[in-house]
Amino acid sequence: MIKVLAIDDEPLALQQLVAYIKKVPFLELAGECQSALEAMEVLNQEPIDAIFCDINMPDLNGMDFVKSLAVPPLVVFTTAYSEYAVEGFKVNAVDYLLKPFGLQDFQRAANRLRERLETTTSAEPVPELPSQPGEDDTIFVKTDYKVVKLAISDIRYIEGMSEYLKIHLQSQPKPVVTLLSMKKMEEYLPAYFMRIHRSYIINLKQIQEVNKNRVIMDADTYLPIGDNYKEAFNDYLNTKFLGK
C-alpha cells in the first residue's frame, strides 16, 4: 500500500480527491488537509509515501511547500492553471493533474506514482548502520526529514512496521520513526538487546516483569513473545534466574 496525503484548500475539490484515492486499491489515505501548513504537521508526525497537492493555496502555495521540504515525498500536483505544469516538473513531480480531472486521469497519475515508488525502492537499498556501535554509545538515524542522534542506552524497545521502525526511548514519549529494517537494527545493537517477536526488539535492561508470554516494560507496555523467539528468551532468563 502507498500511504498518501490529500491537500487542497477547496472543500469540494478535497472531497473529490479523497473519493478518487479511496477508489484505487493500492492507495491508503493517511489524511486530508486544507493547507500546506496543516500538511507539514502531518508529515512531521508520520511517514508518508506521496502527496496529491493543490498548487494555489493561501499562506503557502503547494509549489513552495514542496520546495521547502528537505526530503519531500513523491508529489502529484493538482491545479486549475496549466501554466504551473513546467514548474511542477522542475521539482520532480510524478504527474500534474489539470482541474477538473476525472477518475481515469487520476488513475493514470496513481499508476505513475506506483511505478516511480517501485523504481525508487528497488534502486535505493535500505539504509545500513555501521557494523559496530561507536564508543560513545550513539547512532544517527533519519527521521522527519532530518538526521538525529540517539543514545543506544536510551532505547527501550523497537517496533517494526513494514519497512519502517518505531524506536521507543526513555527520554521522550513520542517514538522516533525511521526507514530501516529490523534485521539491520538487530545486527547492530549490543548484546543487551534481544528480539522477542518478529515486530519487537527490546532492551533487556528495561524489562520490569515477564508474565506468561508477555514482557512487561512498564504499566502501559506489554509486548508479546513470539513462538520462534521463546526458546532464546527463556535461555536468557535462565542465566539470570535465582531460585528453584
Side-chain angles (χ1 to χ4, degrees):
M1 295 290 284
I2 302 173
K3 291 183 68 174
V4 300
L5 197 60
I7 311 166
D8 200 307
D9 66 307
E10 299 177 10
L12 290 178
L14 181 60
Q15 183 179 352
Q16 183 67 76
L17 183 58
V18 167
Y20 285 161
I21 290 172
K22 291 180 178 179
K23 288 180 182 292
V24 179
F26 56 82
L27 296 183
E28 176 187 347
L29 181 65
E32 45 190 283
C33 305
Q34 289 190 270
S35 72
L37 298 178
E38 186 180 340
M40 194 172 293
E41 291 183 8
V42 176
L43 290 173
N44 285 332
Q45 292 173 2
E46 61 178 304
I48 300 294
D49 298 313
I51 59 175
F52 288 86
C53 184
D54 184 31
I55 293 178
N56 290 286
M57 294 188 292
D59 297 325
L60 181 64
N61 71 47
M63 195 72 65
D64 291 337
F65 165 59
V66 172
K67 290 178 180 178
S68 73
L69 300 174
V71 185
L74 297 180
V75 181
V76 174
F77 282 120
T78 66
T79 184
Y81 302 93
S82 59
E83 62 266 25
Y84 285 114
V86 173
E87 189 177 356
F89 287 112
K90 283 182 180 178
V91 296
N92 202 28
V94 174
D95 207 347
Y96 176 94
L97 290 169
L98 186 62
K99 298 178 181 179
F101 53 86
L103 180 58
Q104 185 175 356
D105 293 327
F106 182 85
Q107 181 73 61
R108 181 203 70 224
N111 288 337
R112 288 183 176 176
L113 191 63
R114 179 170 62 176
E115 291 170 3
R116 178 76 70 83
L117 189 62
E118 288 174 349
T119 300
T120 303
T121 302
S122 61
E124 297 181 4
V126 175
E128 295 187 8
L129 290 165
S131 58
Q132 296 181 7
E135 293 181 359
D136 60 352
D137 186 47
T138 59
I139 57 174
F140 288 86
V141 298
K142 181 182 286 187
T143 182
D144 293 340
Y145 310 104
K146 59 182 180 290
V147 175
V148 299
K149 183 171 77 169
L150 305 177
I152 295 175
S153 56
D154 190 33
I155 299 173
R156 297 177 60 239
Y157 67 97
I158 297 154
E159 180 180 359
M161 309 183 306
S162 186
E163 68 268 34
Y164 291 93
L165 299 181
K166 277 186 178 180
I167 303 175
H168 297 263
L169 304 171
Q170 299 180 67
S171 59
Q172 63 184 56
K174 183 181 176 182
V176 173
V177 180
T178 187
L179 177 63
L180 197 68
S181 71
M182 287 285 278
K183 185 174 184 294
K184 287 297 177 186
M185 179 61 86
E186 185 180 13
E187 290 174 352
Y188 179 77
L189 291 170
Y192 59 88
F193 283 85
M194 178 176 285
R195 191 166 184 175
I196 61 166
H197 188 275
R198 62 186 178 85
S199 299
Y200 295 104
I201 299 172
I202 64 170
N203 183 337
L204 297 169
K205 296 180 180 180
Q206 296 295 317
I207 296 175
Q208 290 191 2
E209 187 178 330
V210 179
N211 189 336
K212 297 182 179 178
N213 291 325
R214 298 183 304 176
V215 172
I216 300 173
M217 306 299 287
D218 57 48
D220 300 314
T221 308
Y222 295 69
L223 305 181
I225 303 170
D227 291 339
N228 293 335
Y229 304 90
K230 190 178 300 183
E231 183 178 352
F233 183 69
N234 285 337
D235 288 344
Y236 163 76
L237 289 181
N238 288 334
T239 65
K240 302 291 184 179
F241 187 72
L242 298 180
K244 296 181 179 180

